[in-house]
Amino acid sequence: MSEFSRPIAPKSPSTRTAGRGNFVDNYAWMKDKEAEATQSFVSAENEYCQAVMKPLESTRKELFDELKSRIQETDMSVPLRSHGYWYFARTREGQQYAVQCRIPIASDGDWNVPTINEEGEPGSLPGEEIVFDSNAESKGHDFFRIGGMSMSNDGRWLLYGVDITGNERYDLFIRDLKTGRDLPEKISQVSAGGLITPDGAWVFYVTVDDAWRPDSVWRHRVGSATSEDIRVWHEDDERFWVGVGLSFDERHIIIGTSSKTTSEVLMLPIDTPEGDFVPFIPRHEGIEYDVSFSCFEKAADDGSDIPIAVVCHNVTNPNFQINIIDMRSHKPPYQLNEGVCIAAGSKYGCEHGGSQATLPIDTPDSNPQNPKILQGARGLNIESLDIHEHFITLGYRSNSLTHLAVITKQQAIEDYRAQRPWDFKEIIPQPVGGDARGEALFSIGTAGNPSYEVPRLRYSFSSFTNPAELHELDPATGSDVLLKRAKVMGNFNPDDYAECQVWVEARDSARIPVSLLWKRGMAPALDAFGHRGMTDVLLTDIRTTETAEIGDTAETGDADARDAVPSAVPSSEPSSALSPMFITGYGAYEISSDPGFSVARLSMLDRGVLYALPHVRGGGEMGRAWYEQGRRLNKKHTFEDFIDATAALQRAGFADPDRTVANGGSAGGLLMGAIANMAPQLYAGIEADVPFVDALTSILDPSLPLTVTEWDEWGDPLHNPDVYQYMRSYSPYENVPTAEERVKRFGTAHFPQIFITTSMNDTRVLYVEPLKWAARLSEPEVGAKVCIKIEVEAGHGGTTGRYKQWEELCFETAWCLSIMGCAPGISM
């Protein structure tokens, strides 16, 4: 028995009456953040968490030392040219934050990256200036986060925003870099971002409404009182969020306003900042688009330039397409689907895919309008077309991974004039010291190309086993130069680790990609598996003991369901072949969980842990249809995909159910709460970070931040009874099964141990959701082992400062390793 006990929250029943049903909530009182009872319970939970974690103090220190020893603490970024300066960031050993620096360019034709001593002190080079030092600016604050920076073209005026509480509301300041002093005007508690015009004369910024929705754009004349600021745009529709920025060609101020399913762009010429914004394309419900501006130099019949607009939209294609509009034809507004189509995504499996809507998502795409490199792509989604003076890049997604292609500007103009598909070439990276693309799962994209005139393309990529690399490619000659590879200190060797992607057939026959990562020689079953990189391998025989719907009381027998899960490994296979598994997922908002390197992850891998990432529906890995099949009234697919992937890996003999820990944050925390209720027998532990576990209560309350705009993601349970009942059936807090119910449904009272993180100033997932969930899990009839760590000074992203963030990460990792049997045990 431990010397400490979990705090038990008092019950004070209140009835939620919103929507189409009533729910008795015993812990709604916790919503009063300032109440003594809430403060006392938060303190008690934090004390309990510290007591639980005390046996892991040495493990946490060991993890921190390992992480610190692998990171080059004194480092700098590759200089990036913007107007008259090369900008870069320096980090110094012992300092929490980076220091932003710059040096002047040598001449207008200076595009060769300057060599700068990465060990040097900030400001040590001839002409080097410190633009912003967050270490100095953050003094006296436990939390410090920058909410964007904007610079005038002459490099004198800097607009920056600061959040010192974690509530994602920023105070804007204007600094004169010539004197190092801020101007008297302060724009208080606004949304992140904002811009200062290239001439440094005006600031445009966004304010929020009572529900903290960014809804209004304001204009401020630099040097005037903020009381004189003018509101230039207001968004009435509560589903829409507003942002403001500068167009890539720096000729227009752009307002973007969008919901989850509809968007609109408004524009104002930069030389008339006091004018009126006009729509580029008027808003149409259900249509998303974005636009950038450029030109085709000397491409007109008379040898003049052709001004063009690049529109990425889903008017006729759910997975988006790129249209080029010749802006000589007429002034804005323009029309939907106007212009010439350059590239289009696939329609397979999409709700608005026409005749292709019923076909499998991964059907190979064939479209004669498309460039050759897109023919045969599966789950094809078009993401971007960036036009520079010398080259054009195409970003797209297929086969669950990102891709990047390039074409010279000259070739693109020739193809455009000839009305033929553009002859893009895919960039195939060759990682330094690691596997080539065919053997690696990796992410690739453009990086650091802010200037239209830049002669060479910068791109970055990384994989699970290869640290990030930044390259510079000359599309005309094919010359590809490595600018920087992230350093992993010590004896790191990427060849010591292996990665592959397999496929799992979910219960509705959908094929789910699952990425796997492990250390060679420490996962016998995976080493023997023999597959590496992208594969078509389908793990079969995934069916576990059927998991009943919440509320189903059918008995499944008395046997422990975890022991009943069959294994694909022959009986002669030693049990040590089963690895402890850390399995993580997200699955919402069409956000893709792409491959990437993590120094911190090495500590798990080196202890024999199998890292698994199911790319569940609700994300965007396989395009728009992948998202559609995991949202609204299809949301349960996200949970089922994750459960079926877990079961498949366990049945294949890769992972040990008794040492499987799941992890997810925010909407991924909702996933964690759901799988704990739906398939507790598959997990030894679950880490839920800032989890969205009281989803129905929040989505029923339009006064909360995010709620109204979130109706496009989850559905509207306040006005739609079908959505209410559907969310009621899965919202984790309302569906926690008691021990007795678990025995009836799963044949075992087992419930995974739960570790929760949250922040008192989180405005995206309010602290009250995970706090109430912890209280419910702790009730005697549930009997779950749970602890919750509550940050008092932090927001949705946790604490700030790299060393503090490392400490928090090691805290969480230590708990996971303990549950997986790779660290000392703890008592909860």
Side-chain angles (χ1 to χ4, degrees), residues 441-475:
L441 309 174
F442 73 95
S443 303
I444 188 171
T446 59
N449 302 287
S451 301
Y452 179 74
E453 302 84 2
V454 62
R456 295 178 291 276
L457 162 68
R458 285 191 184 184
Y459 70 92
S460 65
F461 75 93
S462 68
S463 77
F464 287 121
T465 60
N466 290 279
E469 293 183 13
L470 179 65
H471 285 243
E472 193 168 69
L473 171 69
D474 186 336

mmCIF file of all heavy atoms in Angstrom, residues 441-475:
data_model
loop_
_atom_site.group_PDB
_atom_site.id
_atom_site.type_symbol
_atom_site.label_atom_id
_atom_site.label_comp_id
_atom_site.label_asym_id
_atom_site.label_seq_id
_atom_site.Cartn_x
_atom_site.Cartn_y
_atom_site.Cartn_z
ATOM 1 N N LEU A 441 10.364 6.507 -44.449
ATOM 2 C CA LEU A 441 9.100 7.229 -44.357
ATOM 3 C C LEU A 441 9.455 8.648 -43.974
ATOM 4 O O LEU A 441 10.013 8.869 -42.905
ATOM 5 C CB LEU A 441 8.201 6.608 -43.285
ATOM 6 C CG LEU A 441 7.979 5.100 -43.374
ATOM 7 C CD1 LEU A 441 7.189 4.617 -42.173
ATOM 8 C CD2 LEU A 441 7.263 4.744 -44.660
ATOM 9 N N PHE A 442 9.177 9.602 -44.836
ATOM 10 C CA PHE A 442 9.686 10.928 -44.528
ATOM 11 C C PHE A 442 8.693 12.013 -44.912
ATOM 12 O O PHE A 442 7.714 11.797 -45.626
ATOM 13 C CB PHE A 442 11.022 11.165 -45.234
ATOM 14 C CG PHE A 442 10.906 11.379 -46.715
ATOM 15 C CD1 PHE A 442 10.840 12.656 -47.243
ATOM 16 C CD2 PHE A 442 10.855 10.290 -47.564
ATOM 17 C CE1 PHE A 442 10.728 12.843 -48.602
ATOM 18 C CE2 PHE A 442 10.744 10.470 -48.918
ATOM 19 C CZ PHE A 442 10.678 11.757 -49.452
ATOM 20 N N SER A 443 8.965 13.211 -44.406
ATOM 21 C CA SER A 443 8.204 14.411 -44.724
ATOM 22 C C SER A 443 9.115 15.358 -45.486
ATOM 23 O O SER A 443 10.293 15.493 -45.170
ATOM 24 C CB SER A 443 7.721 15.091 -43.437
ATOM 25 O OG SER A 443 6.949 14.208 -42.655
ATOM 26 N N ILE A 444 8.553 16.042 -46.476
ATOM 27 C CA ILE A 444 9.330 16.977 -47.286
ATOM 28 C C ILE A 444 8.480 18.203 -47.573
ATOM 29 O O ILE A 444 7.252 18.113 -47.685
ATOM 30 C CB ILE A 444 9.801 16.316 -48.603
ATOM 31 C CG1 ILE A 444 10.772 17.242 -49.352
ATOM 32 C CG2 ILE A 444 8.629 15.916 -49.475
ATOM 33 C CD1 ILE A 444 11.455 16.580 -50.536
ATOM 34 N N GLY A 445 9.114 19.361 -47.665
ATOM 35 C CA GLY A 445 8.387 20.580 -47.977
ATOM 36 C C GLY A 445 9.340 21.732 -48.187
ATOM 37 O O GLY A 445 10.532 21.655 -47.867
ATOM 38 N N THR A 446 8.831 22.812 -48.754
ATOM 39 C CA THR A 446 9.651 24.000 -48.929
ATOM 40 C C THR A 446 9.964 24.605 -47.564
ATOM 41 O O THR A 446 9.201 24.457 -46.611
ATOM 42 C CB THR A 446 8.938 25.035 -49.805
ATOM 43 O OG1 THR A 446 7.691 25.394 -49.201
ATOM 44 C CG2 THR A 446 8.692 24.491 -51.194
ATOM 45 N N ALA A 447 11.088 25.323 -47.478
ATOM 46 C CA ALA A 447 11.496 25.887 -46.186
ATOM 47 C C ALA A 447 12.377 27.104 -46.421
ATOM 48 O O ALA A 447 13.449 26.987 -47.013
ATOM 49 C CB ALA A 447 12.253 24.848 -45.363
ATOM 50 N N GLY A 448 11.920 28.266 -45.973
ATOM 51 C CA GLY A 448 12.772 29.445 -46.013
ATOM 52 C C GLY A 448 12.949 30.022 -47.393
ATOM 53 O O GLY A 448 14.087 30.237 -47.827
ATOM 54 N N ASN A 449 11.838 30.269 -48.113
ATOM 55 C CA ASN A 449 11.906 30.919 -49.416
ATOM 56 C C ASN A 449 11.017 32.170 -49.408
ATOM 57 O O ASN A 449 10.042 32.263 -50.155
ATOM 58 C CB ASN A 449 11.442 29.957 -50.522
ATOM 59 C CG ASN A 449 12.250 28.682 -50.563
ATOM 60 O OD1 ASN A 449 13.394 28.669 -50.990
ATOM 61 N ND2 ASN A 449 11.658 27.592 -50.111
ATOM 62 N N PRO A 450 11.325 33.155 -48.549
ATOM 63 C CA PRO A 450 10.412 34.285 -48.386
ATOM 64 C C PRO A 450 10.479 35.309 -49.500
ATOM 65 O O PRO A 450 9.585 36.138 -49.628
ATOM 66 C CB PRO A 450 10.870 34.901 -47.061
ATOM 67 C CG PRO A 450 12.340 34.640 -47.028
ATOM 68 C CD PRO A 450 12.501 33.288 -47.673
ATOM 69 N N SER A 451 11.520 35.270 -50.310
ATOM 70 C CA SER A 451 11.712 36.292 -51.318
ATOM 71 C C SER A 451 11.332 35.774 -52.696
ATOM 72 O O SER A 451 11.684 34.651 -53.079
ATOM 73 C CB SER A 451 13.180 36.750 -51.344
ATOM 74 O OG SER A 451 13.565 37.268 -50.091
ATOM 75 N N TYR A 452 10.636 36.599 -53.442
ATOM 76 C CA TYR A 452 10.249 36.237 -54.796
ATOM 77 C C TYR A 452 11.477 36.051 -55.682
ATOM 78 O O TYR A 452 11.524 35.175 -56.543
ATOM 79 C CB TYR A 452 9.345 37.333 -55.368
ATOM 80 C CG TYR A 452 8.893 37.090 -56.781
ATOM 81 C CD1 TYR A 452 7.924 36.131 -57.056
ATOM 82 C CD2 TYR A 452 9.427 37.819 -57.851
ATOM 83 C CE1 TYR A 452 7.499 35.898 -58.361
ATOM 84 C CE2 TYR A 452 9.013 37.597 -59.144
ATOM 85 C CZ TYR A 452 8.048 36.636 -59.398
ATOM 86 O OH TYR A 452 7.626 36.395 -60.686
ATOM 87 N N GLU A 453 12.518 36.858 -55.434
ATOM 88 C CA GLU A 453 13.692 36.860 -56.313
ATOM 89 C C GLU A 453 14.684 35.741 -56.022
ATOM 90 O O GLU A 453 15.670 35.596 -56.743
ATOM 91 C CB GLU A 453 14.427 38.205 -56.186
ATOM 92 C CG GLU A 453 13.576 39.418 -56.511
ATOM 93 C CD GLU A 453 12.744 39.881 -55.319
ATOM 94 O OE1 GLU A 453 12.878 39.267 -54.232
ATOM 95 O OE2 GLU A 453 11.968 40.834 -55.462
ATOM 96 N N VAL A 454 14.464 34.978 -54.960
ATOM 97 C CA VAL A 454 15.444 33.969 -54.562
ATOM 98 C C VAL A 454 15.755 33.048 -55.752
ATOM 99 O O VAL A 454 14.845 32.527 -56.404
ATOM 100 C CB VAL A 454 14.936 33.171 -53.346
ATOM 101 C CG1 VAL A 454 13.657 32.418 -53.658
ATOM 102 C CG2 VAL A 454 16.001 32.200 -52.846
ATOM 103 N N PRO A 455 17.050 32.834 -56.084
ATOM 104 C CA PRO A 455 17.388 32.065 -57.281
ATOM 105 C C PRO A 455 17.332 30.554 -57.093
ATOM 106 O O PRO A 455 17.254 29.813 -58.068
ATOM 107 C CB PRO A 455 18.812 32.519 -57.604
ATOM 108 C CG PRO A 455 19.386 32.894 -56.275
ATOM 109 C CD PRO A 455 18.251 33.474 -55.485
ATOM 110 N N ARG A 456 17.416 30.102 -55.842
ATOM 111 C CA ARG A 456 17.446 28.659 -55.590
ATOM 112 C C ARG A 456 16.380 28.288 -54.551
ATOM 113 O O ARG A 456 16.018 29.098 -53.688
ATOM 114 C CB ARG A 456 18.836 28.239 -55.109
ATOM 115 C CG ARG A 456 19.920 28.424 -56.173
ATOM 116 C CD ARG A 456 21.295 28.033 -55.652
ATOM 117 N NE ARG A 456 21.784 28.964 -54.631
ATOM 118 C CZ ARG A 456 22.412 30.104 -54.887
ATOM 119 N NH1 ARG A 456 22.628 30.470 -56.139
ATOM 120 N NH2 ARG A 456 22.830 30.885 -53.909
ATOM 121 N N LEU A 457 15.922 27.071 -54.642
ATOM 122 C CA LEU A 457 14.853 26.562 -53.782
ATOM 123 C C LEU A 457 15.430 25.933 -52.526
ATOM 124 O O LEU A 457 16.302 25.062 -52.605
ATOM 125 C CB LEU A 457 14.037 25.508 -54.548
ATOM 126 C CG LEU A 457 13.156 24.570 -53.717
ATOM 127 C CD1 LEU A 457 12.010 25.338 -53.073
ATOM 128 C CD2 LEU A 457 12.636 23.423 -54.581
ATOM 129 N N ARG A 458 14.939 26.367 -51.376
ATOM 130 C CA ARG A 458 15.255 25.674 -50.131
ATOM 131 C C ARG A 458 14.131 24.708 -49.790
ATOM 132 O O ARG A 458 12.959 25.069 -49.841
ATOM 133 C CB ARG A 458 15.430 26.668 -48.985
ATOM 134 C CG ARG A 458 16.733 27.439 -49.019
ATOM 135 C CD ARG A 458 16.937 28.200 -47.721
ATOM 136 N NE ARG A 458 18.136 29.022 -47.775
ATOM 137 C CZ ARG A 458 18.589 29.726 -46.747
ATOM 138 N NH1 ARG A 458 17.934 29.695 -45.583
ATOM 139 N NH2 ARG A 458 19.678 30.451 -46.859
ATOM 140 N N TYR A 459 14.521 23.485 -49.438
ATOM 141 C CA TYR A 459 13.527 22.516 -48.986
ATOM 142 C C TYR A 459 14.104 21.736 -47.809
ATOM 143 O O TYR A 459 15.321 21.653 -47.616
ATOM 144 C CB TYR A 459 13.107 21.569 -50.114
ATOM 145 C CG TYR A 459 14.157 20.573 -50.543
ATOM 146 C CD1 TYR A 459 14.228 19.306 -49.967
ATOM 147 C CD2 TYR A 459 15.070 20.885 -51.546
ATOM 148 C CE1 TYR A 459 15.179 18.390 -50.364
ATOM 149 C CE2 TYR A 459 16.026 19.976 -51.956
ATOM 150 C CZ TYR A 459 16.081 18.720 -51.362
ATOM 151 O OH TYR A 459 17.027 17.806 -51.751
ATOM 152 N N SER A 460 13.233 21.195 -47.010
ATOM 153 C CA SER A 460 13.666 20.410 -45.861
ATOM 154 C C SER A 460 12.960 19.069 -45.864
ATOM 155 O O SER A 460 11.864 18.925 -46.429
ATOM 156 C CB SER A 460 13.360 21.142 -44.548
ATOM 157 O OG SER A 460 11.958 21.274 -44.376
ATOM 158 N N PHE A 461 13.586 18.100 -45.250
ATOM 159 C CA PHE A 461 12.919 16.817 -45.053
ATOM 160 C C PHE A 461 13.522 16.122 -43.842
ATOM 161 O O PHE A 461 14.631 16.424 -43.394
ATOM 162 C CB PHE A 461 13.037 15.928 -46.299
ATOM 163 C CG PHE A 461 14.389 15.316 -46.508
ATOM 164 C CD1 PHE A 461 14.677 14.053 -46.016
ATOM 165 C CD2 PHE A 461 15.374 15.993 -47.187
ATOM 166 C CE1 PHE A 461 15.922 13.484 -46.194
ATOM 167 C CE2 PHE A 461 16.628 15.437 -47.382
ATOM 168 C CZ PHE A 461 16.895 14.180 -46.889
ATOM 169 N N SER A 462 12.739 15.210 -43.303
ATOM 170 C CA SER A 462 13.224 14.350 -42.217
ATOM 171 C C SER A 462 12.414 13.073 -42.242
ATOM 172 O O SER A 462 11.353 13.001 -42.877
ATOM 173 C CB SER A 462 13.076 15.048 -40.856
ATOM 174 O OG SER A 462 11.713 15.202 -40.519
ATOM 175 N N SER A 463 12.914 12.079 -41.566
ATOM 176 C CA SER A 463 12.185 10.822 -41.438
ATOM 177 C C SER A 463 12.212 10.414 -39.972
ATOM 178 O O SER A 463 12.752 11.122 -39.119
ATOM 179 C CB SER A 463 12.827 9.731 -42.313
ATOM 180 O OG SER A 463 14.005 9.228 -41.715
ATOM 181 N N PHE A 464 11.636 9.276 -39.666
ATOM 182 C CA PHE A 464 11.675 8.786 -38.296
ATOM 183 C C PHE A 464 13.113 8.511 -37.843
ATOM 184 O O PHE A 464 13.433 8.627 -36.666
ATOM 185 C CB PHE A 464 10.858 7.501 -38.160
ATOM 186 C CG PHE A 464 9.376 7.716 -38.217
ATOM 187 C CD1 PHE A 464 8.607 7.088 -39.183
ATOM 188 C CD2 PHE A 464 8.741 8.529 -37.295
ATOM 189 C CE1 PHE A 464 7.237 7.268 -39.230
ATOM 190 C CE2 PHE A 464 7.372 8.724 -37.338
ATOM 191 C CZ PHE A 464 6.613 8.089 -38.308
ATOM 192 N N THR A 465 13.972 8.139 -38.800
ATOM 193 C CA THR A 465 15.339 7.757 -38.431
ATOM 194 C C THR A 465 16.386 8.785 -38.839
ATOM 195 O O THR A 465 17.538 8.670 -38.424
ATOM 196 C CB THR A 465 15.710 6.400 -39.068
ATOM 197 O OG1 THR A 465 15.615 6.509 -40.492
ATOM 198 C CG2 THR A 465 14.784 5.298 -38.577
ATOM 199 N N ASN A 466 16.022 9.741 -39.665
ATOM 200 C CA ASN A 466 16.978 10.737 -40.146
ATOM 201 C C ASN A 466 16.639 12.120 -39.604
ATOM 202 O O ASN A 466 15.541 12.627 -39.826
ATOM 203 C CB ASN A 466 16.961 10.799 -41.683
ATOM 204 C CG ASN A 466 17.565 9.571 -42.317
ATOM 205 O OD1 ASN A 466 18.772 9.433 -42.425
ATOM 206 N ND2 ASN A 466 16.690 8.654 -42.725
ATOM 207 N N PRO A 467 17.590 12.765 -38.904
ATOM 208 C CA PRO A 467 17.357 14.137 -38.446
ATOM 209 C C PRO A 467 17.087 15.070 -39.623
ATOM 210 O O PRO A 467 17.497 14.804 -40.756
ATOM 211 C CB PRO A 467 18.673 14.491 -37.736
ATOM 212 C CG PRO A 467 19.294 13.185 -37.381
ATOM 213 C CD PRO A 467 18.893 12.239 -38.474
ATOM 214 N N ALA A 468 16.391 16.166 -39.338
ATOM 215 C CA ALA A 468 15.987 17.091 -40.387
ATOM 216 C C ALA A 468 17.193 17.635 -41.141
ATOM 217 O O ALA A 468 18.237 17.934 -40.558
ATOM 218 C CB ALA A 468 15.190 18.240 -39.778
ATOM 219 N N GLU A 469 17.026 17.775 -42.453
ATOM 220 C CA GLU A 469 18.057 18.346 -43.316
ATOM 221 C C GLU A 469 17.462 19.513 -44.095
ATOM 222 O O GLU A 469 16.313 19.456 -44.540
ATOM 223 C CB GLU A 469 18.600 17.298 -44.294
ATOM 224 C CG GLU A 469 19.372 16.172 -43.627
ATOM 225 C CD GLU A 469 19.956 15.184 -44.633
ATOM 226 O OE1 GLU A 469 19.962 15.524 -45.835
ATOM 227 O OE2 GLU A 469 20.393 14.103 -44.215
ATOM 228 N N LEU A 470 18.246 20.556 -44.262
ATOM 229 C CA LEU A 470 17.864 21.701 -45.078
ATOM 230 C C LEU A 470 18.764 21.738 -46.302
ATOM 231 O O LEU A 470 19.993 21.754 -46.178
ATOM 232 C CB LEU A 470 18.006 22.995 -44.274
ATOM 233 C CG LEU A 470 17.665 24.293 -45.015
ATOM 234 C CD1 LEU A 470 16.186 24.322 -45.393
ATOM 235 C CD2 LEU A 470 18.029 25.507 -44.178
ATOM 236 N N HIS A 471 18.138 21.736 -47.477
ATOM 237 C CA HIS A 471 18.876 21.704 -48.739
ATOM 238 C C HIS A 471 18.568 22.946 -49.566
ATOM 239 O O HIS A 471 17.531 23.594 -49.387
ATOM 240 C CB HIS A 471 18.492 20.466 -49.551
ATOM 241 C CG HIS A 471 19.069 19.188 -49.037
ATOM 242 N ND1 HIS A 471 19.944 18.416 -49.767
ATOM 243 C CD2 HIS A 471 18.904 18.536 -47.855
ATOM 244 C CE1 HIS A 471 20.283 17.343 -49.067
ATOM 245 N NE2 HIS A 471 19.661 17.394 -47.902
ATOM 246 N N GLU A 472 19.462 23.230 -50.488
ATOM 247 C CA GLU A 472 19.239 24.296 -51.460
ATOM 248 C C GLU A 472 19.436 23.704 -52.851
ATOM 249 O O GLU A 472 20.513 23.202 -53.184
ATOM 250 C CB GLU A 472 20.209 25.456 -51.223
ATOM 251 C CG GLU A 472 19.833 26.709 -51.993
ATOM 252 C CD GLU A 472 20.630 27.915 -51.534
ATOM 253 O OE1 GLU A 472 21.861 27.947 -51.784
ATOM 254 O OE2 GLU A 472 20.040 28.817 -50.917
ATOM 255 N N LEU A 473 18.383 23.767 -53.656
ATOM 256 C CA LEU A 473 18.369 23.131 -54.973
ATOM 257 C C LEU A 473 18.281 24.199 -56.067
ATOM 258 O O LEU A 473 17.452 25.109 -55.989
ATOM 259 C CB LEU A 473 17.164 22.188 -55.071
ATOM 260 C CG LEU A 473 16.858 21.594 -56.444
ATOM 261 C CD1 LEU A 473 17.941 20.594 -56.843
ATOM 262 C CD2 LEU A 473 15.484 20.925 -56.447
ATOM 263 N N ASP A 474 19.122 24.064 -57.060
ATOM 264 C CA ASP A 474 19.032 24.898 -58.258
ATOM 265 C C ASP A 474 18.237 24.115 -59.296
ATOM 266 O O ASP A 474 18.758 23.163 -59.888
ATOM 267 C CB ASP A 474 20.427 25.230 -58.787
ATOM 268 C CG ASP A 474 20.390 26.218 -59.950
ATOM 269 O OD1 ASP A 474 19.349 26.284 -60.630
ATOM 270 O OD2 ASP A 474 21.393 26.912 -60.171
ATOM 271 N N PRO A 475 16.961 24.459 -59.535
ATOM 272 C CA PRO A 475 16.139 23.674 -60.463
ATOM 273 C C PRO A 475 16.674 23.677 -61.884
ATOM 274 O O PRO A 475 16.414 22.733 -62.644
ATOM 275 C CB PRO A 475 14.771 24.380 -60.399
ATOM 276 C CG PRO A 475 14.766 25.090 -59.086
ATOM 277 C CD PRO A 475 16.186 25.538 -58.897
#
